[in-house]
Amino acid sequence: MLCLAIETSCDESAVSLLESEAGSFRVLSEEISSQTKIHEKYGGVVPELASREHLSALPLMLDAVMEKNQCRLADIGLLAVTQGPGLKGCLLIGLGVAKGMACAGNIPIVGVNHIEGHIRSARIANSELSYPYLALVVSGGHTEIVQVDQLGVYKVLARTKDDAAGEAFDKAANLLGLSYPGGAALAALADNYLTENRGIIERDLALPKVMRGSNDFSFSGLKTAIVLLIRREGTRIADESRRAALAAAIQEAIVDTLVHRVEQMVLRTGITRVAVCGGVSANRLLQKRLAALSGITLFVPSKLHCMDNATMIGFVGIERFQVSRVGASNLEVRSFWPVEELGVP
Ligand code: KG4
Ligand code: ZN
């Protein structure tokens, strides 16, 4: 069966064509079109511009994927589309296109939760990842540790009270003069610094360890501490090596907060399989620190599937359809959609 998957929840338009057969699947084609260049000058995603861009990019991407695989609408056995959570106007574009195709081709359609896509993305390359496992979801909009008991059964063990880890990276990157979103650029600067300085952070740049006593995450306090630290540096941040030292200290503080909470949850639940997913999971220090936690096995998606992509949406769509055998009708956008509400298909 061929599954065509569409993702438009934020600022990436993505399309993937997957083939599933007897419990296994392979990706025939996948395309991601990032809108970073459009939103860069505003320092964040502008929802109206994002929807408009999805509207112009998506039909071209779909045509390209179908043509490349010599595939017609009649060959598609399943449509999977991100139904939420995300920006309403953006979700509407993907969902509208999918519903139109479903109607024209009489194809079943599965509405997929974007966070469920991230949670399960570690299983795309690691089918041996068995239940239960803990998923650390770290992206521009989400920071959660989720206990995954089976398809659709999720318990959120820790969530952020305010900002997401990705936002903390991006805010700090912005203050260091790096262009939006900036998380990956800050990490690259920090990693270079650590390589040249034998992994040692400048002592006078150490940031406070916040929210140690709580079960949840909070990045707003850390963000304020980062702002104050950079302000204190004054004109010294004009110096490239000082900026790199700051980047290393900031990365250390954010990563340490995430790893500390994962360690706590592993101890509390006794679950030792840990998956890390979402854009921030591409961070090398985060992967290294998690992998070094004693007694755990770490699962990381491929770099492409760490960020927003349609393959993870198709993967979940296929998993759900294989169980339920029914497509949905009258799908509506769900811009707020906690994973605990999902349930088994
Ligand atoms: O999952 P994602 O692609 O989109 C959202 O759903 O938000 O995550 C994007 C976030 C951005 O905040 C970006 O700066 C961050 O992931 N990011 C990183 C790295 N690569 C991407 N943060 C830290 N280190 C990285 N290597
Ligand atoms: Zn995402």
Side-chain angles (χ1 to χ4, degrees):
M1 180 188 69
L2 291 183
C3 169
L4 185 64
I6 297 172
E7 152 65 38
T8 60
S9 64
C10 190
D11 59 344
E12 258 106 27
S13 316
V15 170
S16 183
L17 185 65
L18 302 98
E19 185 177 44
S20 84
E21 216 177 72
S24 71
F25 90 108
R26 68 190 177 108
V27 180
L28 300 179
S29 275
E30 60 183 320
E31 303 275 338
I32 300 176
S33 167
S34 171
Q35 303 177 1
T36 300
K37 283 271 159 282
I38 291 162
H39 303 292
E40 201 174 34
K41 58 175 171 290
Y42 304 101
V45 177
V46 182
E48 289 78 5
L49 295 182
S51 335
R52 201 190 300 167
E53 193 54 27
H54 286 308
L55 192 56
S56 57
L58 197 56
L60 300 176
M61 294 171 76
L62 285 165
D63 275 352
V65 163
M66 299 286 270
E67 201 170 302
K68 197 161 145 192
N69 292 279
Q70 302 193 331
C71 179
R72 293 162 309 134
L73 197 56
D75 301 323
I76 305 293
L78 181 69
L79 284 154
V81 60
T82 308
Q83 191 183 350
L87 298 170
K88 200 167 189 175
C90 296
L91 292 163
L92 272 170
I93 306 293
L95 196 56
V97 168
K99 279 162 106 173
M101 292 178 85
C103 184
N106 195 23
I107 308 166
I109 176 169
V110 176
V112 175
N113 180 297
H114 179 86
I115 301 303
E116 186 177 35
H118 277 308
I119 287 173
R120 306 192 72 77
S121 63
R123 287 171 55 91
I124 297 175
N126 304 287
S127 53
E128 73 278 15
L129 171 52
S130 56
Y131 304 112
Y133 67 89
L134 299 181
L136 171 66
V137 186
V138 267
S139 71
H142 293 268
T143 302
E144 289 167 4
I145 300 174
V146 182
Q147 179 176 327
V148 183
D149 289 329
Q150 58 165 300
L151 176 63
V153 181
Y154 310 114
K155 200 185 296 163
V156 178
L157 304 178
R159 54 163 50 93
T160 181
K161 287 181 180 298
D162 37 60
D163 305 315
E167 280 174 287
F169 265 110
D170 295 346
K171 171 78 182 172
N174 178 274
L175 292 169
L176 291 178
L178 303 167
S179 56
Y180 177 82
L186 184 145
L189 203 59
D191 288 349
N192 278 342
Y193 176 86
L194 293 173
T195 309
E196 282 167 17
N197 294 277
R198 290 173 288 119
I200 298 165
I201 305 285
E202 296 246 356
R203 202 178 289 179
D204 67 323
L205 297 180
L207 284 153
K209 294 188 185 302
V210 289
M211 294 277 290
R212 282 310 215 225
S214 163
N215 282 337
D216 285 318
F217 295 104
S218 167
F219 286 98
S220 72
L222 187 56
K223 255 169 63 175
T224 306
I226 292 169
V227 171
L228 294 175
L229 176 65
I230 294 177
R231 218 178 267 163
R232 195 191 77 195
E233 285 294 294
T235 52
R236 274 193 289 182
I237 70 156
D239 177 48
E240 193 160 336
S241 63
R242 191 67 178 168
R243 273 206 308 276
L246 276 161
I250 292 164
Q251 174 176 254
E252 172 66 33
I254 300 172
V255 166
D256 182 67
T257 304
L258 295 170
V259 174
H260 173 76
R261 196 69 75 233
V262 169
E263 189 174 25
Q264 243 182 4
M265 293 305 160
V266 168
L267 286 173
R268 189 202 287 177
T269 59
I271 298 170
T272 55
R273 284 175 293 273
V274 176
V276 58
C277 37
V280 180
S281 66
N283 187 280
R284 290 218 303 243
L285 185 70
L286 176 63
Q287 291 182 13
K288 191 172 135 193
R289 290 281 169 81
L290 287 172
L293 286 180
S294 101
I296 76 143
T297 314
L298 184 67
F299 297 86
V300 188
S302 70
K303 197 163 179 204
L304 188 65
H305 297 151
C306 283
M307 53 193 239
D308 286 351
N309 66 89
T311 295
M312 68 182 190
I313 303 302
F315 184 67
V316 172
I318 291 169
E319 282 189 304
R320 288 190 157 268
F321 189 70
Q322 275 168 349
V323 178
S324 71
R325 285 283 145 206
V326 287
S329 55
N330 299 328
L331 282 182
E332 297 294 343
V333 158
R334 299 188 66 172
S335 42
F336 177 74
W337 191 10
V339 284
E340 285 124 315
E341 289 180 9
L342 288 172
V344 285

